[in-house]
Amino acid sequence: MENLLKTIRQTRKNFIQLIDRSTVEELNQVPAGFNNNMIWNFGHIIASQQILCYKLAGLEPRIDPSYLLAYQKGTKPERFIEVREIDTLKELMLSTIDVLEHDLKNEVFESYNVTTTSYGVTLNNTVEAVQFFPVHDAFHYGCASSIQKVLNNKL
């Protein structure tokens, strides 16, 4: 599990660097042909981790519920995200993994509502949800990278 969490953290650090290389306007822009923007993809991986690890385990998510409502699956960018919220999301990007690691070590995840992701992967418990995140996070990091390239006319 330690190496898995290390991989998740590294992908998230890479995503933070992508966010840091972009302007607030770029982060909020939805280019033609896309359904969302860079900052939505960023917030989405935080919200998804909270839903798949905590909510489905019958536990309260460890972040403000407003972030779940704004960035969960099925949502789309509906407002301009300001610097203050971007900074909060950047902090949550890694702190949520630290909290998850602590909670895994303390075995707080006792039950789980089995779910099948839109990716077609069935998750039977929180450990399987954690195992899914390198794929999920990398997918959304790739989406955001593609958006940045389109915005910078590099595609």
Side-chain angles (χ1 to χ4, degrees):
M1 184 63 66
E2 186 176 319
N3 192 49
L4 183 62
L5 291 170
K6 183 178 174 182
T7 299
I8 293 167
R9 282 188 180 96
Q10 186 58 52
T11 300
R12 289 177 175 220
K13 287 176 186 177
N14 293 344
F15 209 151
I16 291 169
Q17 290 174 353
L18 175 75
I19 296 302
D20 287 342
R21 290 192 308 266
S22 305
T23 67
V24 176
E25 290 73 23
E26 288 171 334
L27 293 174
N28 281 279
Q29 189 171 347
V30 180
F34 288 84
N35 296 321
N36 49 50
N37 55 32
M38 285 190 277
I39 200 62
W40 182 90
N41 279 281
F42 193 72
H44 174 71
I45 68 173
I46 297 165
S48 294
Q49 182 261 330
Q50 293 291 297
I51 292 166
L52 292 177
C53 291
Y54 290 93
K55 277 192 97 167
L56 290 175
L59 301 171
E60 286 294 317
R62 305 303 198 233
I63 64 172
D64 188 298
S66 66
Y67 294 119
L68 300 179
L69 294 173
Y71 299 107
Q72 68 186 334
K73 179 183 162 190
T75 63
K76 62 182 180 178
E78 301 210 7
R79 62 184 170 81
F80 189 88
I81 306 302
E82 301 287 346
V83 171
R84 186 173 177 181
E85 184 171 341
I86 293 167
D87 288 342
T88 299
L89 290 171
K90 286 169 38 179
E91 189 274 323
L92 288 172
M93 185 62 74
L94 296 174
S95 68
T96 53
I97 299 305
D98 295 339
V99 171
L100 174 65
E101 182 175 33
H102 177 268
D103 289 344
L104 286 165
K105 285 179 182 173
N106 288 304
E107 300 179 357
V108 303
F109 303 103
E110 296 176 4
S111 63
Y112 199 81
N113 294 313
V114 176
T115 191
T116 300
T117 69
S118 56
Y119 207 75
V121 175
T122 299
L123 306 175
N124 296 292
N125 54 54
T126 301
V127 170
E128 289 180 10
V130 174
Q131 292 169 339
F132 174 68
F133 282 107
V135 172
H136 181 264
D137 290 5
F139 173 79
H140 287 283
Y141 171 64
C143 291
S145 295
S146 295
I147 290 170
Q148 185 185 54
K149 287 178 183 175
V150 166
L151 294 176
N152 292 317
N153 298 314
K154 293 182 180 174
L155 276 184

